Amino acid sequence: MLVHALIREDGTVAADELYAVANTLGMSDQQVRLCVKRLVTEGRFTHEGRGRKAELRATADTVRALAPNADFLRHAFRQDAGNAPWDGVWHLAAFAVPESARTARDTLRETLVHLGGSPLQGGLYVCANAWEPYVEDAARRMEVHDALTLLTTTNLCRGTTRDPVELARDLWPLPEIADRYHRLTRVARPCLKRLTGSAALAPAELLTIAIELAAELSRAMEPDPLLPPELLPRPWPGTQARELVARCWAALRAREEGGSRPAVFRLYADLTREEADRVTG
């Protein structure tokens, strides 16, 4: 998360900035070196130079993997603003991948859960959002697209449960997801206080706050299926947590002094600008 958060708009990560922020977060140089080595070995980044003068560059696969996260966050803010009402449609994906392609089968299962799906039974997953483009893209990359079946329904029944709200409560771990958003709120509140205070904050401090927020936001949202508000308990803590994050990013944007900044500054600032304007205006 730290390395991803420091990717600049040209796709590079400066090692000196990486080490400085990592040290501020309490990480050792050895931890950073091991992390960089692993990322390069896994093919997520290339590496040029040595030590703090080195530069990492994100590969095309890494850049592509980060893009859906922005799509999901944008969708979450649209939901929070009431601009993405549920149409009552459940989206299902079924697959029958042979044992000879076990790795692809397991990866497809993990991908469906990451995209907000929940298993109904063996090889059948359901999502409340239109996930088809993401599912098909993943299946093609895994070369199992021919084994995939996609369908939709407005009449989902599991056992004797038909009510959509009850189905959502049974299929997804909503209390656990809510707890993650409560944690995000506890992190964002003091960050907002620092960012809107009168004390000066050094660039490394601003980066550290940005990364802490991005890490906690990712921790909260990665297991979140982003169910439509119509299916969630009210009030839903995710709405409040994202509102606080939007205020933090607006404050971060106001403190920017130009220069080459990590892309996360622009990404989250762009995504949250409309939300920040809504909650502050």
Side-chain angles (χ1 to χ4, degrees):
M1 182 65 224
L2 171 61
V3 178
H4 285 174
L6 290 177
I7 297 175
R8 296 179 296 205
E9 293 184 347
D10 62 358
T12 63
V13 177
D16 58 345
E17 197 166 61
L18 173 60
Y19 279 101
V21 176
N23 293 162
T24 302
L25 290 169
M27 302 177 191
S28 68
D29 286 3
Q30 178 66 5
Q31 284 177 294
V32 175
R33 284 193 291 270
L34 290 174
C35 176
V36 169
K37 182 178 180 181
R38 185 175 71 251
L39 290 172
V40 172
T41 300
E42 293 174 352
R44 300 185 188 185
F45 288 81
T46 59
H47 183 268
E48 296 180 6
R50 295 176 60 83
R52 291 176 179 262
K53 295 183 179 180
E55 183 176 81
L56 301 175
R57 181 174 293 277
T59 62
D61 285 344
T62 297
V63 173
R64 184 177 63 243
L66 294 175
N69 294 329
D71 291 344
F72 301 155
L73 182 57
R74 183 178 293 107
H75 181 65
F77 279 124
R78 291 183 65 241
Q79 288 180 323
D80 294 340
N83 294 327
W86 191 44
D87 57 6
V89 175
W90 297 100
H91 300 258
L92 295 99
F95 60 90
V97 179
E99 181 67 18
S100 58
R102 180 191 301 179
T103 299
R105 183 182 63 197
D106 293 344
T107 303
L108 182 58
R109 287 193 187 114
E110 294 171 359
T111 300
L112 292 175
V113 172
H114 176 71
L115 291 173
S118 177
L120 288 170
Q121 59 187 56
L124 179 62
Y125 288 71
V126 62
C127 180
N129 294 305
W131 63 349
E132 287 81 1
Y134 302 103
V135 174
E136 288 195 281
D137 179 63
R140 287 193 181 95
R141 284 187 282 107
M142 298 171 201
E143 299 182 348
V144 293
H145 188 263
D146 290 344
L148 177 69
T149 299
L150 299 173
L151 61 152
T152 60
T153 183
T154 57
N155 184 25
L156 181 64
C157 176
R158 192 185 193 213
T160 59
T161 305
R162 293 180 178 273
D163 179 70
V165 174
E166 292 183 19
L167 284 168
R169 186 174 61 241
D170 291 345
L171 290 168
W172 287 276
L174 297 185
E176 176 185 329
I177 295 168
D179 286 343
R180 289 172 178 260
Y181 280 116
H182 287 309
R183 170 174 171 150
L184 174 58
T185 295
R186 291 194 298 270
V187 170
R189 276 186 177 142
C191 288
L192 181 59
K193 186 176 181 179
R194 291 182 65 195
L195 290 167
T196 56
S198 58
L201 294 173
E205 292 178 286
L206 292 175
L207 276 174
T208 301
I209 292 173
I211 291 163
E212 287 177 334
L213 286 170
E216 288 300 332
L217 183 62
S218 294
R219 188 198 301 270
M221 289 196 62
E222 281 181 359
D224 185 357
L226 296 182
L227 295 175
E230 294 88 343
L231 302 181
L232 293 170
R234 300 291 182 91
W236 179 241
T239 302
Q240 180 191 40
R242 285 188 289 264
E243 178 182 316
L244 280 170
V245 170
R247 291 178 181 273
C248 288
W249 280 101
L252 274 166
R253 188 174 70 245
R255 284 180 175 261
E256 276 193 85
E257 297 179 357
S260 179
R261 310 305 297 160
V264 70
F265 270 81
R266 180 185 58 80
L267 171 64
Y268 284 114
D270 288 348
L271 291 177
T272 59
R273 181 177 287 108
E274 181 178 343
E275 172 65 8
D277 291 343
R278 183 181 71 84
V279 299
T280 58

